[in-house]
Amino acid sequence: MARQLNLLIVNSSQQERSTIKNTLQNLDVFTFIECEDSQNALQLLKKQAVDVVITGLDVGKIDGWRFSRMVRSGLLKTPKNTPIVLIPPIYCERIAETTARSYSIDAVLPFERHRQLPHTLANVLSTHLEKSSRLNLLLLEPNQQRADEICQHLSLSFACTHVNTTNDALSLFRQNSYAIILLDATATRANAAKELVDSILKYNPNQAIVTIIDNRDADYAEQLLLLGVTDFVREPYDISILSKVCDHAARREDFMVSYAEFEEKVSQLSRSEQNYKDLFSAHQRILLHLNTVVMELDQQGLIRFINPAWEALSGFGIKASLGQPLSQFVSQEYQLELHDMLALVMSEQQQQAKIELQLNNQKNCQIWVECRFQLIRNSTSKATVTATLDNIHERKQAELQLRHLALHDTLTGLHNRYYFDQQLQNICSSVKGLNDVEHALLYIDLDHFKIINDSKGHQQGDIVLKEVSQLFGENISDEHLVFRIGGDEFAIILSNTNLLDAHIVAESICMAIEKHKFHSEENSYSISCSIGLTQITLENHDANECLKQADIALYVAKSLGRNLVHCYSKEDASNNTLQSGLEWGHSVREALQNNLIELHYQPIWDLKNNTIAYFEALLRLVVKNELIHPNQFIPALELLNDTFLMDKCVIRHAIAAVAEHDELNQIAINLSAQSFLDERLLPHIQACLVEYQVPAEHIIFEITESASINNLSATQAMIAKLNQLGCHFSIDDFGTGFSTFSYLKQLPAQHVKIDGSFVRDMLNDPIDLALVKAVHDISHSLDKRSVAEYVENIEIFKALKEIGVDYAQGFFIARPMPINELKKAIPTILSSKTIR
């Protein structure tokens, strides 16, 4: 389900807070948090993060400007680049914008324009970046030492860019925007400086420029000012003076415009109260009618009066529109609603009414407007309706854009999981009490999609997902809903569709995807999908249960060979078995997510040096206070494609244990085939090594022989990356496929584990003995260490030692045990095996 955005409103006025919420709540995008003063808001932000802040100006002892500075400080729980919108009661535009830049505020919007909030937030949320209040400064100074000194002293107020030549300065100026240009115009560089100033001001006459001069010639200084230089400093100068001159020059335009605005405000306030009221009323009347359409309708809904704003809005002339019904200009889908609302007002059931609808303009384009109606009676008690129409097209577009983003998958354009949950709940609720209504739910998974991501990259995987989405559009009619649930999983709700028709639709989807040719560079390939199907009827209308049934049916389809459709049936034994497996898998996943794991460690014995070489970390889960071994939970995780979660937990806990316990000099960690080719694996290993400060050479990773040769090139690449990191690598269960000996030399592993099935019977079966020797010999010939598993008695232990095998592992040496037991057992293990 898509997460809603947390929006913090800081405003001392309850009415203004409510107005802001009412303006935004129809978007169904935000979760609102309210604070009436800045200190309460800061206490909140010390504990939790929010996604957007809307603050007033007068919000307590810490005003809105300084409250914003606290957010930008990075001292709070919320990120320092959290978008901030300031809503003052009134403002001088230039002063507000200048101050906002200094305090790194994203947008300033007076409260009277609160209806523009959706559009403003859409812009802010799509563009907000790391905030900085420093102004950009371009410094031209050939002397590197002096340039470094100037940049250092100006660094608090300016982001300095230094160049040595006029050509470089002119080139950067044309590519970037700078609040100020500071250049060396001393006697030796006077002519070059004048030419540069002339070139810059021809390009941008308003560019602020400060020059450094070294003589007392007033004529020279006057020439520079006449050229258009903003200010100058004369050597020798105090560096603090230079900083002030630069700051004033950079903000000169802001000061001048702000002063003019401020002067106008003071001038207005200085006029007599009555003149001010008259002027204010006149302006209000002008503003009321300037962009707002005002019209009068008779009792039949015909237009009797209309102002010139109608032409600007609709494109229709005033004379041609008079005497016409307003409904004639309204889009078809809103005409009935408009008729009913006017009837309520005309009959005096409502004195006032408001509606948002679409007008068709002269170019036959649809424009969103907000209509307000009010009943008025004249001296003869004849009723008329006054109407005002405001253009809200931009606001509605912003609302629709935000709503679309909240309900759709950004990659494919299909509906997302959040919308799926809503619609599944709605359609399941709609069948209550209806015997003859049937719907269907399809749950779809692309077969072996992970191979595409691993072998061809995620960019190609994204292309496949987009093309599959287009295939859905071509094969599913508009009355049905298609969703991307996540990854390569999709769902389709087929409304008013019986089971047979739903099965036919599902089969057509399978066929369409299977027949489609996907292209990658010069190659083309095909994929398939598996589909689980369940009915939504009066007897089966619980949304959670329907989703569960479709999920089970999907996995049955996969277990039956993939590329097929399976309908859920309670009588299907495979469903019940799979359901219990899925439920167990979810319990296992929950245990991993809650870190309910326990690592046991089994020593690996060095047969040549008679000591413990390293330890293998073996996972146990704690489910309902019971210790669960891998053979009981790994199949369930494989069913859910969730073995990476298991390996991630083991890697973190094992590396943390190495950092905590000196006895664990080196440990081996098993990796599943799924995790080994997961792009998230290597960054996770690196992060854990850094977090716990463990040298990489203390870690050995193991993967089975069969998994390593399934994708040899990818395995080689991953082992090489782990070796480059400093980790060691081991091929586990080697020898089960004797034909794979040729692959061993292609894998840059340091250890080879001889499969335990050979070791266990090597003293009774000459073939097993020969295989053990062969694996050992070929390992040594490739400069790899051999490790024998399942060493369960002293006879096997001694035989391996005679063969020359490097390491041994098994119950004869020690059973796997928790770290605390292992610490106590190590002295006994060392003494008993050394004596032997």
Side-chain angles (χ1 to χ4, degrees):
M1 183 178 292
R3 181 179 74 87
Q4 289 200 314
L5 301 178
N6 290 323
L7 188 151
L8 172 61
I9 304 174
V10 186
N11 197 304
S12 58
S13 167
Q14 173 65 45
Q15 182 179 355
E16 291 187 7
R17 293 200 304 272
S18 298
T19 300
I20 292 170
K21 284 171 59 181
N22 291 336
T23 304
L24 298 174
Q25 65 184 1
N26 289 336
L27 304 181
D28 196 24
V29 171
F30 299 106
T31 298
F32 298 102
I33 305 171
E34 297 182 54
C35 288
E36 64 181 5
D37 67 72
S38 55
Q39 287 177 284
N40 290 340
L42 289 173
Q43 292 301 318
L44 172 77
L45 295 178
K46 290 175 185 177
K47 299 175 183 178
Q48 73 174 79
V50 298
D51 298 296
V52 190
V53 175
I54 296 178
T55 179
L57 189 57
D58 185 12
V59 289
K61 292 183 178 179
I62 300 175
D63 60 35
W65 300 114
R66 293 185 294 156
F67 170 74
S68 301
R69 174 62 74 193
M70 277 294 294
V71 175
R72 294 289 178 248
S73 69
L75 299 173
L76 306 174
K77 195 76 172 179
T78 199
K80 66 180 182 180
N81 67 336
T82 301
I84 303 174
V85 177
L86 180 72
I87 300 189
I90 56 173
Y91 79 138
C92 292
E93 185 171 352
R94 180 53 70 100
I95 295 175
E97 290 176 353
T98 304
T99 312
R101 285 202 304 272
S102 298
Y103 284 83
S104 299
I105 291 172
D106 297 86
V108 180
L109 188 72
F111 181 78
E112 64 189 20
R113 285 156 50 185
H114 64 84
R115 294 182 185 278
Q116 297 178 16
L117 262 177
H119 183 68
T120 301
L121 288 176
N123 289 335
V124 166
L125 288 170
S126 64
T127 61
H128 84 279
L129 303 169
E130 188 74 12
K131 304 295 183 286
S132 171
S133 60
R134 295 194 303 164
L135 300 173
N136 290 327
L137 180 147
L138 177 62
L139 171 63
L140 170 59
E141 173 52 68
N143 187 312
Q144 185 64 46
Q145 180 177 354
R146 190 157 72 163
D148 291 342
E149 179 183 4
I150 291 172
C151 290
Q152 179 180 358
H153 283 281
L154 297 181
S155 61
L156 288 177
S157 300
F158 298 93
C160 298
T161 302
H162 170 233
V163 293
N164 295 311
T165 68
T166 55
N167 287 338
D168 289 344
L170 194 57
S171 176
L172 280 179
F173 165 73
R174 288 175 174 170
Q175 297 176 42
N176 304 290
S177 176
Y178 296 95
I180 186 168
I181 296 177
L182 176 62
L183 58 90
D184 182 352
T186 52
T188 59
R189 299 182 51 80
N191 291 332
K194 290 179 181 179
E195 292 177 2
L196 178 60
V197 169
D198 186 61
S199 298
I200 288 173
L201 294 179
K202 282 181 179 178
Y203 195 87
N204 179 9
N206 296 320
Q207 177 63 52
I209 303 175
V210 172
T211 58
I212 301 172
I213 62 176
D214 61 351
N215 60 50
R216 303 177 60 84
D217 187 352
D219 291 339
Y220 179 58
E222 182 182 6
Q223 289 174 16
L224 291 174
L225 293 176
L226 289 172
L227 276 174
V229 168
T230 309
D231 207 341
F232 63 90
V233 292
R234 186 168 56 83
E235 291 185 334
Y237 56 82
D238 188 307
I239 197 70
S240 63
I241 298 298
L242 177 62
S243 179
K244 289 181 180 179
V245 169
C246 289
D247 185 71
H248 291 163
R251 303 181 190 274
R252 174 174 170 267
E253 185 181 1
D254 288 333
F255 291 155
M256 294 178 67
V257 177
S258 299
Y259 180 80
E261 290 181 348
F262 185 73
E263 184 182 39
E264 177 62 22
K265 294 284 183 181
V266 173
S267 176
Q268 290 177 4
L269 292 173
S270 300
R271 296 170 188 154
S272 67
E273 182 178 358
Q274 188 57 47
N275 286 340
Y276 171 78
K277 287 181 178 179
D278 292 342
L279 182 63
F280 177 79
S281 298
H283 285 175
Q284 283 295 99
R285 287 193 299 273
I286 294 171
L287 289 173
L288 179 63
H289 298 86
L290 185 61
N291 294 316
T292 299
V293 176
V294 179
M295 63 174 58
E296 183 179 285
L297 306 176
D298 64 17
Q299 292 182 330
Q300 285 72 44
L302 303 180
I303 300 173
R304 293 181 53 184
F305 165 82
I306 196 167
N307 70 337
W310 170 254
E311 288 189 83
L313 177 67
S314 68
F316 293 106
I318 294 178
K319 291 183 178 179
S321 302
L322 289 173
Q324 302 297 324
L326 175 60
S327 59
Q328 176 180 313
F329 304 97
V330 174
S331 298
Q332 181 70 35
E333 58 187 300
Y334 295 99
Q335 289 186 4
L336 180 60
E337 188 176 357
L338 173 65
H339 176 272
D340 293 342
M341 182 165 289
L342 285 175
L344 289 173
V345 174
M346 291 288 188
S347 62
E348 300 189 43
Q349 296 182 49
Q350 287 184 214
Q351 287 295 317
Q352 298 177 340
K354 182 179 74 170
I355 183 176
E356 292 181 357
L357 48 78
Q358 286 182 307
L359 290 181
N360 293 321
N361 69 6
Q362 191 177 34
K363 296 179 180 179
N364 205 28
C365 296
Q366 295 183 326
I367 303 172
W368 279 101
V369 295
E370 181 184 80
C371 301
R372 294 174 181 268
F373 302 103
Q374 184 168 1
L375 182 68
I376 295 179
R377 290 191 176 276
N378 59 21
S379 57
T380 61
S381 296
K382 189 175 182 180
T384 60
V385 173
T386 61
T388 59
L389 282 68
D390 286 300
N391 188 337
I392 59 169
H393 194 73
E394 287 190 8
R395 190 197 86 194
K396 289 295 289 186
Q397 290 294 102
E399 290 178 7
L400 294 172
Q401 181 184 4
L402 286 172
R403 189 169 299 166
H404 186 274
L405 289 173
L407 301 178
H408 288 78
D409 172 54
T410 54
L411 175 65
T412 63
L414 298 177
H415 296 298
N416 60 15
R417 177 61 188 262
Y418 172 73
Y419 192 61
F420 169 72
D421 290 335
Q422 285 185 335
Q423 294 305 305
L424 181 61
Q425 190 68 51
N426 290 342
I427 203 162
C428 286
S429 300
S430 69
V431 301
K432 294 178 181 178
L434 301 175
N435 286 315
D436 56 345
V437 175
E438 289 182 76
H439 308 297
L441 172 63
L442 306 183
Y443 206 68
I444 305 167
D445 184 88
L446 302 183
D447 297 330
H448 304 301
F449 178 75
K450 190 176 185 302
I451 296 175
I452 297 174
N453 270 344
D454 293 338
S455 61
K456 301 183 182 297
H458 285 274
Q459 185 175 6
Q460 183 62 31
D462 289 347
I463 292 173
V464 169
L465 293 174
K466 290 179 182 178
E467 291 188 26
V468 167
S469 301
Q470 290 173 358
L471 290 175
F472 288 143
E474 294 168 4
N475 290 272
I476 303 297
S477 61
D478 293 340
E479 63 187 295
H480 308 305
L481 295 173
V482 184
F483 310 85
R484 183 185 177 205
I485 303 302
D488 61 336
E489 293 184 348
F490 301 85
I492 300 175
I493 296 177
L494 300 174
S495 57
N496 299 309
T497 307
N498 60 39
L499 186 61
L500 178 58
D501 290 340
H503 195 281
I504 293 172
V505 171
E507 289 283 2
S508 69
I509 292 171
C510 280
M511 292 175 61
I513 292 176
E514 184 181 19
K515 289 180 179 179
H516 185 76
K517 292 296 181 182
F518 297 89
H519 299 280
S520 172
E521 297 174 352
E522 297 179 356
N523 302 319
S524 63
Y525 56 93
S526 300
I527 64 171
S528 61
C529 71
S530 301
I531 301 180
L533 165 62
T534 191
Q535 279 186 294
I536 302 173
T537 62
L538 179 62
E539 294 76 23
N540 187 47
H541 62 264
D542 181 88
N544 292 329
E545 183 62 27
C546 289
L547 181 58
K548 185 177 179 181
Q549 292 171 4
D551 194 20
I552 292 171
L554 170 62
Y555 282 100
V556 171
K558 283 184 171 292
S559 66
L560 292 176
R562 304 178 188 267
N563 193 25
L564 52 83
V565 180
H566 185 85
C567 298
Y568 177 80
S569 171
K570 291 182 180 179
E571 289 75 30
D572 191 338
S574 63
N575 284 37
N576 296 330
T577 301
L578 192 61
Q579 181 173 352
S580 61
L582 285 171
E583 290 173 352
W584 170 239
H586 290 306
S587 298
V588 170
R589 179 192 287 167
E590 185 177 353
L592 289 169
Q593 290 171 338
N594 294 324
N595 287 317
L596 300 177
I597 74 170
E598 187 175 298
L599 290 183
H600 288 199
Y601 301 90
Q602 188 173 28
I604 312 297
W605 187 259
D606 187 331
L607 291 169
K608 295 181 179 177
N609 297 313
N610 288 325
T611 187
I612 295 174
Y614 60 95
F615 302 85
E616 181 174 0
L618 299 167
L619 176 63
R620 309 288 186 262
L621 288 187
V622 181
V623 179
K624 297 179 181 179
N625 297 319
E626 184 179 347
L627 208 61
I628 310 299
H629 287 71
N631 62 331
Q632 297 173 273
F633 60 78
I634 287 181
L637 285 175
E638 289 175 340
L639 185 68
L640 294 172
N641 290 322
D642 227 352
T643 53
F644 178 72
L645 175 62
M646 170 186 69
D647 290 345
K648 191 168 84 168
C649 289
V650 173
I651 290 168
R652 175 171 291 279
H653 283 78
I655 292 176
V658 172
E660 183 179 354
H661 305 288
D662 294 336
E663 291 83 358
L664 299 176
N665 59 312
Q666 191 177 37
I667 60 168
I669 302 171
N670 289 285
L671 295 175
S672 66
Q674 180 189 10
S675 298
F676 192 64
L677 298 179
D678 195 303
E679 64 179 12
R680 298 170 291 176
L681 176 65
L682 193 63
H684 178 67
I685 293 171
Q686 290 173 311
C688 291
L689 292 174
V690 171
E691 179 180 353
Y692 295 107
Q693 295 295 298
V694 172
E697 59 266 20
H698 289 193
I699 308 299
I700 302 171
F701 288 104
E702 293 187 2
I703 188 171
T704 62
E705 172 200 10
S706 57
S708 65
I709 65 174
N710 281 341
N711 193 337
L712 185 62
S713 60
T715 301
Q716 288 173 317
M718 179 56 78
I719 295 176
K721 290 176 183 177
L722 290 172
N723 286 341
Q724 188 177 11
L725 194 62
C727 301
H728 292 193
F729 201 82
S730 177
I731 304 298
D732 199 8
D733 298 337
F734 193 83
T736 52
F738 192 74
S739 62
T740 62
F741 272 9
S742 62
Y743 291 110
L744 190 57
K745 65 180 179 180
Q746 300 180 52
L747 298 175
Q750 290 78 30
H751 300 80
V752 178
K753 269 195 172 182
I754 305 168
D755 187 72
S757 62
F758 303 142
V759 177
R760 183 190 290 123
D761 295 327
M762 61 180 280
L763 299 182
N764 302 318
D765 189 329
I767 295 178
D768 285 346
L769 179 60
L771 285 171
V772 170
K773 290 180 178 179
V775 175
H776 165 69
D777 290 341
I778 198 168
S779 298
H780 271 212
S781 68
L782 296 173
D783 197 26
K784 303 179 190 297
R785 305 282 182 88
S786 57
V787 185
E789 301 178 295
Y790 286 85
V791 181
E792 297 179 350
N793 55 56
I794 190 172
E795 290 79 15
I796 295 177
F797 183 85
K798 288 180 177 180
L800 292 169
K801 200 165 187 177
E802 290 175 8
I803 293 171
V805 172
D806 298 293
Y807 303 125
Q809 176 183 4
F811 287 176
F812 172 70
I813 298 160
R815 291 177 176 270
M817 60 190 81
I819 186 62
N820 293 331
E821 293 181 21
L822 179 66
K823 287 182 175 182
K824 297 175 184 177
I826 285 177
T828 304
I829 296 170
L830 289 171
S831 61
S832 63
K833 299 303 175 293
T834 302
I835 292 171
R836 298 180 190 277

